[in-house]
């Protein structure tokens, strides 16, 4: 079986986080669809493990959270009656977070848009941050219950409730409604009114749709399996945190390329895609060791 070189793996992964579809990646690199898909899954697994181990003990002053819609397999209205309510087909939501100061994404979670998923998401967020911070979400009702269970009174929490105008018939299908007003509502503690905002996390949602083809609207590049979606998302966020220098952070550092992980004190220099490939290779070597030990025990 032909094995991809480190350079080939890095090339394919770079294309995936730059908005290139899997089929286009296959055409440009000459690799099979199965090889590209397997590599994305392996990279996502390695990135998720590395994120879980490295992104800890954060000192965030503010965090913004939001949800991003996508679908798996087919649109929700096309899901067969016998599969209605099954997670992993139709609508899925990605809960995202961002520290506006360092641009770091502390955590994310793919699931349903409900209180249970929101609670799991916020509990994981709280485990990664030390000390009190200000949390801002949109006006979704499930955030209040989830934040109360995850943090109690240990944070300053506010919601930004947005009011939208009704879209005209010609715009309703493809364009989001126009936001005509935004009302800040303090919920817990003493949130600073000047920082009750979701602008950074909403801009990040646009970056995700531009960088991950699976999230692009009105295409046939949607994910066919929810696990593959989770792996591609893990690769994207780890690359965002550790590999890609942020323009604002680089400017603040007098031109020194600076990633969100560097700004948060988690790294001393930008990683490269080759470093992510090394994470994959380390998992492969570990799997070989486990397989060898199992073989010894059987013999």
């Amino acid at each position: 079986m032909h094995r991809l070189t480190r350079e080939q793996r890095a090339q394919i992964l770079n294309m995936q986080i730059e908005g290139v579809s899997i089929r286009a990646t296959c055409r440009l690199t000459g690799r099979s669809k199965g090889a590209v898909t397997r590599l994305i899954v392996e990279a996502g697994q390695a990135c998720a493990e590395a994120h879980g181990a490295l992104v800890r003990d954060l000192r965030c002053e503010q965090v913004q959270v939001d949800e991003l819609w996508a679908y798996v397999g087919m649109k929700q209205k096309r899901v067969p009656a016998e599969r209605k309510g099954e997670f992993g087909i139709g609508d899925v939501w990605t809960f995202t977070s961002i520290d506006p100061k360092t641009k770091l994404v502390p955590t994310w979670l793919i699931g349903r848009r409900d209180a249970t998923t929101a609670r799991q998401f916020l509990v994981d967020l709280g485990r990664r941050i030390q000390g009190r911070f200000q949390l801002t979400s949109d006006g979704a009702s499930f955030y209040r219950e989830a934040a109360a269970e995850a943090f109690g009174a240990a944070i300053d929490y506010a919601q930004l409730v947005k009011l939208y105008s009704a879209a005209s018939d010609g715009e309703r299908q493809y364009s989001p409604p126009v936001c005509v007003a935004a009302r800040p509502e303090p919920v817990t503690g003493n949130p600073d009114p000047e920082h009750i905002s979701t602008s950074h996390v909403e801009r990040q949602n646009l970056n995700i749709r531009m960088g991950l083809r699976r999230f692009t609207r009105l295409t046939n590049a949607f994910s066919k399996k929810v696990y593959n979606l989770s792996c591609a998302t893990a690769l994207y966020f780890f690359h965002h945190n550790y590999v890609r220098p942020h323009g604002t952070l680089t400017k603040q550092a007098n031109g020194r390329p600076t990633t969100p992980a560097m700004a948060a004190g988690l790294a001393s220099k930008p990683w490269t895609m080759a470093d992510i490939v090394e994470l994959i290779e380390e998992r492969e070597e570990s799997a070989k060791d486990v397989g060898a030990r199992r073989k010894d025990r059987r013999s």
Side-chain angles (χ1 to χ4, degrees), residues 119-139:
R119 187 183 310 112
Q120 295 172 351
F121 169 67
L122 293 182
V123 166
D124 186 63
L125 176 67
R127 290 172 178 169
R128 299 181 188 275
I129 300 177
Q130 289 187 344
R132 194 178 188 91
F133 64 96
Q134 179 167 324
L135 176 69
T136 305
S137 73
D138 59 22

Side-chain angles (χ1 to χ4, degrees), residues 5-288:
T5 66
R6 179 175 296 183
E7 291 74 19
Q8 290 170 337
R9 285 178 164 184
Q11 179 191 21
I12 292 172
L13 295 179
N14 272 317
M15 296 175 73
Q16 287 303 298
I17 53 88
E18 292 296 344
V20 182
S21 68
I22 290 182
R23 292 186 183 275
T25 301
C26 295
R27 291 192 296 268
L28 293 171
T29 62
R31 304 302 162 188
S32 68
K33 182 179 178 182
V36 172
T37 303
R38 282 193 301 271
L39 178 59
I40 295 172
V41 170
E42 292 169 356
Q45 293 169 340
C47 288
E49 291 179 3
H51 178 89
L54 297 175
V55 183
R56 298 284 180 180
D57 302 326
L58 302 175
R59 297 288 185 178
C60 300
E61 297 176 2
Q62 306 160 35
V63 176
Q64 298 176 11
V65 297
D66 198 13
E67 324 88 59
L68 182 66
W69 170 82
Y71 65 95
V72 174
M74 63 190 71
K75 291 287 186 67
Q76 186 64 36
K77 64 182 180 180
R78 297 186 179 277
V79 176
E82 62 271 15
R83 302 191 68 180
K84 292 286 186 181
E86 176 185 336
F87 177 68
I89 185 170
D91 289 349
V92 295
W93 293 81
T94 303
F95 284 72
T96 62
S97 61
I98 191 171
D99 177 353
K101 183 177 180 180
T102 64
K103 317 305 179 187
L104 185 82
V105 176
T107 189
W108 67 91
L109 182 62
I110 296 177
R112 305 178 190 273
R113 191 173 184 264
D114 57 17
T116 300
T117 306
R119 187 183 310 112
Q120 295 172 351
F121 169 67
L122 293 182
V123 166
D124 186 63
L125 176 67
R127 290 172 178 169
R128 299 181 188 275
I129 300 177
Q130 289 187 344
R132 194 178 188 91
F133 64 96
Q134 179 167 324
L135 176 69
T136 305
S137 73
D138 59 22
S141 59
F142 52 74
Y143 273 121
R144 291 193 176 223
E145 176 185 349
E149 295 188 19
F151 303 110
I155 63 169
D156 301 311
Y157 171 46
Q159 288 187 311
L160 188 66
V161 180
K162 296 183 178 181
L163 305 178
Y164 296 93
S165 63
S168 63
D169 292 339
E171 297 179 344
R172 186 174 301 156
Q173 185 173 4
Y174 299 114
S175 301
V178 177
C179 179
V180 296
R183 183 178 67 251
E185 292 186 359
V187 179
T188 303
N190 187 29
D192 185 349
E194 293 186 0
H195 297 297
I196 300 177
S197 170
T198 57
S199 297
H200 288 85
V201 72
E202 289 172 355
R203 181 61 175 83
Q204 176 181 258
N205 289 346
L206 174 61
N207 293 341
I208 296 170
R209 292 201 183 278
M210 294 171 63
L212 272 182
R213 189 67 168 167
R214 298 163 187 266
F215 284 91
T216 305
R217 298 178 184 271
L218 304 178
T219 72
N220 63 351
F222 56 89
S223 293
K224 311 307 184 290
K225 297 179 181 179
V226 70
Y227 185 71
N228 289 6
L229 175 65
S230 67
C231 290
T233 305
L235 169 64
Y236 176 87
F237 281 128
F238 194 84
H239 182 274
H240 166 88
N241 284 341
Y242 280 87
V243 180
R244 176 176 291 161
H246 194 282
T248 302
L249 301 177
T250 299
K251 184 177 180 180
Q252 293 172 353
N254 298 319
R256 180 194 178 199
T258 304
T259 65
M262 293 170 63
L266 301 177
S268 58
K269 62 179 182 179
W271 286 37
T272 66
M273 191 60 79
D275 294 322
I276 293 181
V277 174
E278 287 186 10
L279 294 178
I280 301 173
E281 293 173 346
E282 290 173 2
R283 292 187 80 254
E284 290 173 342
E285 292 300 322
S286 177
K288 288 180 181 179

